[in-house]
Amino acid sequence: MNVLPDIERDALALLGTFYLQQGQPERALTVFSGLEVLEPAVLPHARLVVVAALAAGRPERALIALDRLALGGQIDGVFHLARAEALAALGRGAEAATAMKAWIASRDEGASRLERAA
């Protein structure tokens, strides 16, 4: 359910992106976390939180957002790669390796689908 009008949601997302591009990931994380709180059913907000949290050096916050994505069925190659980065930053090497293997498998799967389509 969308609580915010589209123009306000877009403005906040733009502001968070601007903060990321300007090297202020903590501010971006604050903006994106606010979006996530206001509209918890909109899973792309959780993706933005993951990006900002990893950039801000807050891997534990990234894992929380990744769990929300997983519960929403939004698991893809980027999910596995972000999860591997967060787990590695937390010193959880075995889990990070498993996530990286899942990322590589998803890339291989995508490449074989492209080859079959060609």
Side-chain angles (χ1 to χ4, degrees):
M1 177 178 152
N2 296 348
V3 174
L4 295 173
D6 289 344
I7 194 162
E8 290 178 15
R9 180 181 317 104
D10 292 346
L12 286 170
L14 184 62
L15 177 63
T17 302
F18 174 77
Y19 283 143
L20 273 177
Q21 290 174 343
Q22 296 303 311
Q24 299 180 29
E26 282 291 338
R27 286 185 176 187
L29 181 56
T30 300
V31 172
F32 295 145
S33 294
L35 278 171
E36 188 180 37
V37 167
L38 288 171
E39 297 181 324
V42 181
L43 289 178
H45 296 334
R47 285 187 182 274
L48 296 171
V49 169
V50 170
V51 171
L54 290 173
R58 305 232 348 243
E60 64 288 335
R61 178 63 179 99
L63 283 177
I64 292 168
L66 285 165
D67 287 345
R68 289 194 65 246
L69 288 169
L71 289 172
Q74 301 293 312
I75 298 174
D76 57 8
V78 175
F79 170 90
H80 292 301
L81 184 60
R83 186 166 171 77
E85 184 178 341
L87 290 168
L90 290 170
R92 295 163 58 180
E95 292 172 277
T98 301
M100 188 59 79
K101 287 176 187 173
W103 174 66
I104 291 169
S106 72
R107 288 185 60 210
D108 291 343
E109 180 182 312
S112 18
R113 265 188 277 170
L114 284 174
E115 288 172 3
R116 286 192 301 263

